[in-house]
Amino acid sequence: MSTDINNVILVGRLTKDATVDYLPNGSAVASISIAVNRNKKEGEQWINEVSYFDISLFGKQAESLRQYLLKGKQIAIQGSLRQDRWEKDGQKFSKVRIIASNIELLGGRSEGGSYGNGNGGASYGASSGGFQPRNNYGSSQQGDSYGPMDSGESFGDDGTGFSEDIPF
């Protein structure tokens, strides 16, 4: 039996302030949009390519985070993709959006004019019940641990993280 995976992680900047609407059952839903930049080489020249993604955030976290989700703020999103389909005037439409399960507020200019929030960022997930400031001070690692390379393990025999039999 095969298992399908629907998981996405993005880091980008908000393109507008979050808006919050309420469903008929009273549950809040925040709508946000982020821009994610990617540099790629075309010929001899590097170009900047921007992709835009629409994101929905549900429940109490939508209400709690609205005041922090302001245009230009850098955030990290973890969630899943969902394709909405509808028909209007006989024409079929579809749109893919991200349903956020975790949002992390990253460093950037705050209203007070300083950068960052002094605690390495704050994350808020669907199961967390509230903000969880991360404090990386005093740890042996810089930043967050996202995989084996950050925890001191290496993939290659020479410690570079690259195997010699990679074909490029």
Side-chain angles (χ1 to χ4, degrees):
M1 180 175 182
S2 70
T3 302
D4 296 336
I5 298 173
N6 182 355
N7 191 30
V8 63
I9 299 172
L10 296 171
V11 175
R13 295 202 177 267
L14 292 164
T15 62
K16 60 182 178 179
D17 292 353
T19 58
V20 175
D21 294 314
Y22 292 89
L23 300 174
N25 67 2
S27 180
V29 58
S31 297
I32 58 176
S33 178
I34 64 170
V36 177
N37 294 310
R38 181 179 84 137
N39 291 320
K40 68 178 189 175
K41 193 169 187 177
E42 284 191 5
E44 294 296 317
Q45 191 173 23
W46 286 93
I47 62 168
N48 187 28
E49 181 179 271
V50 181
S51 298
Y52 299 94
F53 299 95
D54 292 327
I55 300 158
S56 295
L57 177 65
F58 291 91
K60 291 183 181 182
Q61 57 183 324
E63 293 174 313
S64 299
L65 287 176
R66 174 176 46 184
Q67 63 183 328
Y68 302 106
L69 298 175
L70 303 174
K71 182 177 179 177
K73 179 74 175 164
Q74 187 180 36
I75 61 172
I77 297 283
Q78 182 176 9
S80 59
L81 298 175
R82 185 165 103 189
Q83 184 177 22
D84 296 327
R85 296 181 187 114
W86 68 96
E87 191 172 321
K88 181 177 179 183
D89 299 330
Q91 191 173 8
K92 294 182 180 183
F93 296 93
S94 72
K95 181 178 183 175
V96 175
R97 64 184 166 131
I98 298 166
I99 306 300
S101 59
N102 189 38
I103 292 184
E104 185 171 325
L105 305 172
L106 301 177
R109 186 173 281 272
S110 65
E111 287 184 41
S114 63
Y115 286 87
N117 58 8
N119 65 6
S123 63
Y124 191 87
S127 62
S128 69
F131 279 101
Q132 296 177 353
R134 290 187 345 233
N135 184 348
N136 295 327
Y137 307 121
S139 70
S140 61
Q141 298 177 10
Q142 291 281 333
D144 298 311
S145 177
Y146 290 108
M149 293 301 289
D150 291 330
S151 62
E153 299 175 24
S154 64
F155 293 112
D157 295 333
D158 60 356
T160 62
F162 298 103
S163 175
E164 289 186 31
D165 47 335
I166 296 177
F168 53 86

